[in-house]
Amino acid sequence: MTPDWTCGSCGEDWPCVTKRRQLLDEYQVDRASLSVYLGSCLAAAAQDLRAAPDTSLQDRFIGWVPRGPRHP
C-alpha cells in the first residue's frame, strides 16, 4: 500500500517475506522481468519514501532477489 509501501495483508514493509515468496513463484522462469518490476517499484518508493536511505530501499526492494539461474 502506497505511499508507505506496506503490505496490505500483514502491515510489514513491502515486499514482506510472504510477498517475496509469491513473487519468486510468479516469476520463477523470468527473473529478469521480476527485476524490472521491482526496479520500477523501487523508483516509485524512492519518491514516496524520500527520508529512507537509498541503500536500505535497494536492499528492501531488490537486494533479496537470488542471483544466477534458478535450480529445480
Side-chain angles (χ1 to χ4, degrees), residues 25-66:
D25 285 345
E26 183 178 342
Y27 289 91
Q28 64 183 325
V29 296
D30 193 1
R31 197 95 18 96
S33 290
L34 173 59
S35 295
V36 169
Y37 170 65
L38 291 172
S40 67
C41 291
L42 171 61
Q47 294 297 312
D48 291 336
L49 304 172
R50 292 181 190 269
D54 289 340
T55 54
S56 73
L57 289 178
Q58 288 173 354
D59 289 344
R60 176 177 162 182
F61 282 86
I62 59 175
W64 60 270
V65 177

Side-chain angles (χ1 to χ4, degrees), residues 7-25:
C7 176
S9 298
C10 69
E12 294 292 320
D13 287 346
W14 191 95
C16 64
V17 172
T18 300
K19 187 60 177 177
R20 290 176 182 190
R21 274 183 263 172
Q22 291 171 343
L23 288 167
L24 287 174
D25 285 345

